[in-house]
């Protein structure tokens, strides 16, 4: 009777980010950690479809509902008998597949009222060794901008029509590949992304103004600007907290997870997931 079938996990997380960031490597690692007996090979191929996996949160990772679990806590034994599970959807990061997959998936999950597909959080993975390349930085920031815009539109749209606020969907920017000596530290990853998103939304605002001859058309597009409407100030992730979107930038390494020397591997991302549960 201790083997009673666990209810299917209803907490969903969406894994987004540009191609080569390490999303599938992360997914594969979590899968093998959840079921060590069925060790799978790390796929290093560019993904073309998304996959959904069920992950077991390590019992030593605290959850929001049980944040004071400690190693000596007897309830830990309970936790390993009754593990916390969640579902993670890995998406392809290639530019041509984003609209039809990552963004489409985000829109569907973010607006879903079905608890089975309800979105608890978004993990946006970046390759921190690749961001020194201007083209990759721009591509990464453009994708993140579009993701945050979907979440902002959701937050604003729901807030207007009903008194019940839409449940917040936090974003984790997983600053991956911290094991590489060329990797940028999470602090500068944050700065670079914020500065680049600022440029993107400023040129977008300018484009909107140039394109619309009458102010009515401009009004209609106002919700399409990330952060404050007029894009006067400098963009920072903090601006999004006004609409209830919390963005964390946290370093880690999929490659280093088994070794102690590369920071904490994926542990801090697992802790972020735990705080959403
Ligand atoms: P798409 O499927 O194209 O969107 O890419 P992806 O984000 O799924 O990338 P994938 O997981 O295929 O990883 C790309 C490459 O990065 C692979 O060669 C991985 O082995 C490598 N990689 C992933 N994580 C790390 C890491 O933490 N450190 C290092 N050094 N390499 C990593
Ligand atoms: Mg992949």
């Amino acid at each position: 009777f201790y083997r009673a079938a666990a209810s299917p996990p209803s907490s969903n997380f969406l894994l987004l980010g540009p191609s080569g960031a390490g999303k599938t490597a992360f997914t594969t690692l979590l899968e093998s950690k959840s079921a060590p007996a069925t060790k799978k090979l790390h796929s290093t191929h560019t993904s073309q479809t998304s996959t959904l996996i069920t992950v077991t949160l390590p019992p030593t990772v605290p959850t929001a509902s049980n944040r004071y679990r400690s190693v000596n806590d007897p309830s830990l034994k309970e936790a390993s008998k009754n593990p916390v599970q969640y579902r993670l959807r890995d998406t392809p990061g290639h530019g041509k597949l984003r609209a039809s997959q990552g963004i489409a998936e985000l829109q569907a999950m973010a607006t879903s009222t079905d608890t089975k597909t309800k979105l608890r959080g978004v993990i946006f993975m970046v390759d921190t060794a690749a961001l020194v390349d201007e083209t990759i930085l721009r591509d990464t920031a453009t994708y993140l901008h579009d993701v945050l815009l979907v979440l902002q539109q959701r937050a604003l749209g729901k807030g207007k029509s009903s008194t019940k606020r839409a449940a917040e969907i936090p974003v984790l920017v997983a600053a991956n590949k911290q094991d590489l000596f060329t990797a940028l530290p999470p602090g500068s990853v944050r700065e670079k992304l914020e500065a680049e998103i600022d440029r993107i939304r400023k040129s977008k605002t300018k484009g909107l103004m140039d394109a619309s001859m009458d102010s009515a058309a401009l009004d209609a597009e106002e919700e399409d600007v990330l952060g404050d409407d007029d894009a006067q100030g400098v963009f920072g992730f903090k601006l999004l907290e006004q609409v209830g979107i919390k963005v964390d930038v946290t370093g880690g390494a999929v490659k280093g997870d088994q070794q102690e020397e590369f920071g904490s591997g994926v542990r801090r991302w697992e802790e972020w997931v735990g705080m959403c549960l």
Side-chain angles (χ1 to χ4, degrees):
F1 85 120
Y2 53 91
R3 277 232 170 222
S7 59
S10 56
S11 303
N12 292 279
F13 293 84
L14 189 58
L15 184 54
L16 303 171
S19 190
K23 299 180 296 300
T24 305
F26 180 49
T27 306
T28 312
L29 174 70
L30 292 179
E31 212 173 16
S32 65
K33 278 172 64 159
S34 298
T38 57
K39 235 191 171 130
K40 284 180 188 149
L41 285 172
H42 279 233
S43 158
T44 53
H45 296 286
T46 295
S47 307
Q48 293 187 32
T49 55
S50 54
T51 50
L52 184 66
I53 62 156
T54 298
V55 188
T56 304
L57 196 70
T60 54
V61 173
T63 61
S65 47
N66 194 5
R67 65 173 77 207
Y68 302 112
R69 284 199 294 182
S70 79
V71 196
N72 304 315
D73 189 335
S75 74
L76 249 189
K77 281 217 177 79
E78 289 306 309
S80 52
K81 258 191 257 165
N82 200 359
V84 176
Q85 290 191 314
Y86 61 95
R87 297 199 296 181
L88 181 72
R89 184 173 288 279
D90 177 26
T91 59
H94 191 282
K96 286 184 177 165
L97 300 172
R98 281 176 206 166
S100 63
Q101 303 213 33
I103 293 286
E105 206 84 68
L106 175 66
Q107 271 160 341
M109 289 172 91
T111 54
S112 172
T113 47
D114 181 355
T115 50
K116 276 193 225 104
T117 50
K118 214 172 137 199
L119 189 59
R120 292 297 271 272
V122 170
I123 302 175
F124 188 93
M125 188 165 273
V126 302
D127 177 344
T128 57
L131 286 187
V132 286
D133 181 312
E134 295 272 308
T135 317
I136 292 179
L137 174 62
R138 166 119 306 207
D139 177 62
T140 304
T142 302
Y143 193 8
L144 181 56
H145 169 275
D146 294 351
V147 167
L148 295 173
L149 196 57
V150 169
L151 294 176
Q152 174 181 287
Q153 283 165 340
R154 170 187 178 273
L156 292 176
K158 283 262 173 97
K160 264 181 213 155
S161 55
S162 79
T163 45
K164 210 176 96 196
R165 266 191 79 142
E168 291 153 27
I169 298 176
V171 177
L172 170 70
V173 176
N176 191 27
K177 307 200 187 181
Q178 289 292 306
D179 58 301
L180 298 174
F181 84 100
T182 48
L184 290 172
S188 48
V189 168
R190 182 190 185 104
E191 279 167 27
K192 273 191 180 287
L193 287 174
E194 286 179 332
E196 195 62 33
I197 288 176
D198 191 51
R199 257 171 241 136
I200 292 164
R201 72 175 193 146
K202 283 205 171 97
S203 64
K204 228 190 137 184
T205 314
K206 195 179 170 293
L208 286 177
M209 299 224 271
D210 293 346
S212 56
M213 306 310 282
D214 58 313
S215 58
L218 189 62
D219 280 348
E221 304 284 4
E222 254 184 18
E223 274 193 10
D224 287 348
V225 179
L226 194 61
D228 52 309
D229 279 348
D230 46 12
Q232 293 286 295
V234 178
F235 178 80
F237 293 133
K238 274 242 171 292
L239 272 182
L240 297 172
E241 286 178 13
Q242 292 167 3
V243 292
I245 302 166
K246 201 170 174 294
V247 181
D248 283 307
V249 183
T250 305
V254 174
K255 277 267 169 84
D257 194 57
Q258 264 34 346
Q259 302 127 311
E260 286 294 304
E261 69 248 48
F262 302 127
S264 42
V266 303
R267 173 75 187 195
R268 292 176 62 201
W269 303 336
E270 291 177 317
E271 287 170 354
W272 180 88
V273 167
M275 281 305 128
C276 297
L277 296 171

